[in-house]
Amino acid sequence: MVCKGICIRHKAHKPVGDGRYATGQKRCQVCEIFLNWNGLWCPCCGYRLRTKPRNIKYKAKLHENKKVAEIQELLLKEHQ
């Protein structure tokens, strides 16, 4: 498992306001890059992509953002 440089084509730019994982970006530990990729495995090295943050502070932030999004979705369904 070594980086072959294919991942550069799928490199993700840092989003403004939201976190990387909240916007659906994934990180490869081998290539050390955030990707816009639908699969679970890196297209470059074949290593499993990380879809959640490891830091407890960012885990809590992601969890809170998901809760807020669920509440907003429920409120929209009630008003329709």
Side-chain angles (χ1 to χ4, degrees):
M1 287 186 234
V2 65
C3 181
K4 300 171 190 165
I6 299 169
C7 53
I8 300 299
R9 290 184 240 156
H10 304 286
K11 183 177 179 181
H13 298 287
K14 189 171 183 179
V16 178
D18 279 337
R20 290 185 178 268
Y21 294 106
T23 57
Q25 295 180 6
K26 298 173 185 170
R27 185 174 193 284
C28 178
Q29 292 176 301
V30 175
C31 300
E32 298 178 348
I33 191 170
F34 279 93
L35 305 169
N36 284 325
W37 187 252
N38 291 332
L40 291 176
W41 305 94
C42 180
C44 180
C45 65
Y47 200 78
R48 176 84 186 238
L49 296 173
R50 189 182 305 154
T51 59
K52 298 178 191 172
R54 293 175 68 186
N55 187 319
I56 195 162
K57 180 173 98 175
Y58 296 114
K59 280 183 185 179
K61 189 175 178 180
L62 180 66
H63 185 66
E64 186 65 33
N65 288 344
K66 283 186 179 182
K67 276 188 174 180
V68 169
E70 287 176 3
I71 291 170
Q72 289 176 346
E73 186 178 316
L74 287 174
L75 290 174
L76 284 174
K77 285 183 180 179
E78 287 179 4
H79 289 293
Q80 291 179 354

